[in-house]
Structures are given as structure tokens and as C-alpha cells.
Amino acid sequence: MRQGTSRTARRPARALALAAVAATGLLLAGCGSSATQDSAGTRPQAGTTTASPAPAAVGPATSTPGESTVAARAGAGRYVDYERYAADPSAYATGRVVLFFHATWCHDCQTTDDNLRSDPASLPGDLTVVQVDYDNSTDLKKEYGVTQQWTFVSIDADGTKLKAFTGTYTGTEIADKAV
């Protein structure tokens, strides 16, 4: 009898624990974005869904602060943080520039960030992707009409918005949609 009571007492606790795990999964999967794939049906690559905190600068630890090793290779595109870009926008004026509104808590943003870091060759030489902190860039969000993280905005050399899009996970996909 004592054993039966013990099992019964554990059932609500187990059910509550399972519900908490399921709710956490739903919260992490949403990221405030209604898109889980782009119009071509592309999903994140396998093995790129692990979350990691965003570094102070974009790029591997071995790169110049604020810039990935992509820039170190002649003819390859670049992935830089907004502070580096804003310090000298004219340094990026000869190619296409895409602002990537990134949030550290956004699963899709993390997947895109991981893909850009792990496959720098996917960025063509004429493309610079600029990681913008979604949570702390209120003025930029307002200027470009950005209402959700994981948004990409192609801009010209003067900083004028050319096109906005979402739903891309790789450098190749960003390059295909960028103006």
C-alpha cells in the first residue's frame, strides 16, 4: 500500500516536469518569428542548432576583434559587428552591405550566426554582413522599420534601405536575397 501511494504522489510531479520541458522547447523554438523556413523551404543545417552566447565581436577568437577570418582572405566577404562597421562605413562601400538584426536569445539568429562563422566561404567577396544587436539598437530598428529579430536589411553606401528580408540561415542565402 505504501508503495502504491508513493507512485501516485510522483505522477503529478513528473507530469509537471514534462510540461515545463515542453513549454521551454516551445519558447526557444519561437524566437518571436513566424518564419521557421524561408520561401524556398530551407531549414537550418543539421548540427548548427546549438546555442552559444554572442561574443563581444563577431568572428572566431583568432580573428581581428570585430571581424571574422572571412575578411582576412582576399576576395572573401566579411562578417563584422556593427561597432566596427559604424567606425568606418566607407571601408565597406565598394560592395553590398546587409545588416543582420541578431538577438542572443533567438534560435534562428544563433543558427545563422553559427553558419556564417563555420562556413565563411559562403559569403561572396562583394558582401559584408553586419551583425546588429537587436535588443540595444532601437534607433536603427526604427530607421529601417525592423520589428523582429532575424531580419536582414540591404543598404547602399549612404545607409539607405534597399530591401528587407527574413528566413535565411547561410551566407549563400543572404547573398541570394541581398541587393
Side-chain angles (χ1 to χ4, degrees):
M1 183 180 266
R2 189 173 200 202
Q3 196 174 21
T5 304
S6 177
R7 283 187 196 152
T8 304
R10 283 185 273 172
R11 285 185 188 151
R14 183 175 182 211
L16 184 59
L18 290 174
V21 169
T24 301
L26 289 174
L27 287 173
L28 292 175
C31 279
S33 172
S34 60
T36 56
Q37 61 187 26
D38 69 10
S39 58
T42 305
R43 292 202 166 273
Q45 296 175 355
T48 61
T49 58
T50 55
S52 60
V58 176
T62 57
S63 69
T64 304
E67 188 166 356
S68 73
T69 54
V70 174
R73 270 187 270 137
R78 294 182 273 193
Y79 184 35
V80 299
D81 62 22
Y82 185 75
E83 290 73 25
R84 184 175 188 94
Y85 171 78
D88 188 12
S90 64
Y92 307 94
T94 59
R96 299 178 294 164
V97 174
V98 175
L99 303 178
F100 167 29
F101 287 84
H102 175 279
T104 58
W105 45 266
C106 169
H107 175 73
D108 292 319
C109 298
Q110 292 168 353
T111 300
T112 302
D113 181 63
D114 289 346
N115 287 339
L116 292 175
R117 291 171 191 266
S118 67
D119 187 14
S122 69
L123 290 171
D126 72 327
L127 181 64
T128 298
V129 177
V130 180
Q131 187 186 90
V132 178
D133 182 344
Y134 177 83
D135 293 319
N136 296 312
S137 301
T138 306
D139 291 341
L140 284 175
K141 290 190 301 188
K142 185 176 180 181
E143 179 180 349
Y144 293 112
V146 173
T147 58
Q148 69 179 34
Q149 75 288 349
W150 197 43
T151 297
F152 302 84
V153 179
S154 287
I155 60 173
D156 66 14
D158 296 321
T160 303
K161 177 180 175 179
L162 302 172
K163 177 183 180 182
F165 54 94
T166 62
T168 58
Y169 290 100
T170 67
T172 302
E173 292 172 347
I174 294 168
D176 288 347
K177 291 186 176 186
V179 177

